[in-house]
Amino acid sequence: MKIVNNGAFGKLGSKWSVLFAPDLMIQVTIGGQLSLLMLIEMVERAGFRVVSANTDGIVIICPTDEEDALAAVIAKWERLTGFETEETEYSALHSRDVNNYIAVKPDGSVKKKGAYAEPKIVASSWPSPLNEVCSDAVVEYVTKGVPIFKTIHACRDIRRFVTIRTVKGDAVKDGKYLGKAIRWYYSTDASGSITTN
């Protein structure tokens, strides 16, 4: 029901929806934020460290021998607020910021978010990448200690080096028209720049 709930919440702010109720949207938003702040305060007062938070969750550092104590704090918050939490364990979290990170799970699998995530497939069935070999190299380094240059030099898939962007106006390189969807890779052999009008 998460998708249904999120969809209904989104409609509270749409003046074209039968569910339009901006006052309720604000109440839900502020209520949720205050509830999360309450959880953060309870967790911090119990001696745990919150290292990241956004509108729908927090990341807590918890030693394995203190998991029961943390669970008791969270259970108390759930009783007070009526909310239920979900948990995902990480053995490591490498963040650029709250929405861009690489999380390593205890089984060694990796969750990549934002700038580090795999590109989405676009209508042409080709992903819209952003030099994915860099993300690959960071993941290999933080999970296995493989030096960055080794992953980059070992990659034989040119698509992992390509960046695709849609630009406003016209893109031009060395006087040649490139169009609105431009693809490129970084090279030590090329000079000049891609410009847009």
Side-chain angles (χ1 to χ4, degrees):
M1 295 302 291
K2 183 176 181 179
I3 292 172
V4 173
N5 287 335
N6 286 344
F9 169 72
K11 297 297 182 192
L12 294 176
S14 171
K15 66 181 180 178
W16 308 111
S17 171
V18 68
L19 298 177
F20 180 59
D23 54 329
L24 294 179
M25 184 185 77
I26 295 296
Q27 286 179 22
V28 170
T29 303
I30 299 298
Q33 290 171 345
L34 290 173
S35 295
L36 270 177
L37 286 171
M38 177 183 171
L39 177 58
I40 291 168
E41 180 182 31
M42 291 172 70
V43 166
E44 289 271 338
R45 283 185 176 213
F48 300 99
R49 201 165 130 226
V50 175
V51 294
S52 178
N54 63 13
T55 56
D56 60 358
I58 63 176
V59 178
I60 305 163
I61 293 178
C62 177
T64 53
D65 62 341
E66 295 183 37
E67 288 177 358
D68 290 341
L70 177 60
V73 172
I74 293 170
K76 180 178 180 181
W77 176 83
E78 289 176 330
R79 284 191 305 275
L80 290 169
T81 62
F83 291 125
E84 287 183 29
T85 60
E86 296 175 356
E87 176 185 288
T88 302
E89 283 190 44
Y90 299 141
S91 57
L93 178 66
H94 305 275
S95 301
R96 184 181 84 183
D97 53 52
V98 72
N99 292 315
N100 299 279
Y101 60 83
I102 297 168
V104 183
K105 297 181 182 178
D107 66 1
S109 64
V110 175
K111 175 183 178 184
K112 299 190 288 183
K113 178 92 173 176
Y116 305 106
E118 290 296 319
K120 293 184 172 62
I121 302 296
V122 292
S124 66
S125 303
W126 216 72
S128 184
L130 175 63
N131 203 5
E132 294 300 312
V133 71
C134 292
S135 180
D136 298 341
V138 171
V139 168
E140 288 297 303
Y141 178 73
V142 300
T143 60
K144 301 173 188 158
V146 177
I148 299 285
F149 75 90
K150 280 195 173 184
T151 302
I152 292 172
H153 286 280
C155 182
R156 295 293 173 251
D157 184 351
I158 186 65
R159 294 172 299 178
R160 304 302 286 173
F161 292 86
V162 173
T163 298
I164 300 177
R165 285 288 174 264
T166 302
V167 296
K168 293 181 179 178
D170 298 322
V172 178
K173 169 86 166 80
D174 300 329
K176 184 176 178 184
Y177 175 72
L178 301 177
K180 295 192 182 301
I182 56 172
R183 296 170 177 84
W184 76 90
Y185 64 91
Y186 294 97
S187 168
T188 56
D189 296 331
S191 61
S193 59
I194 299 171
T195 58
T196 58
N197 300 340

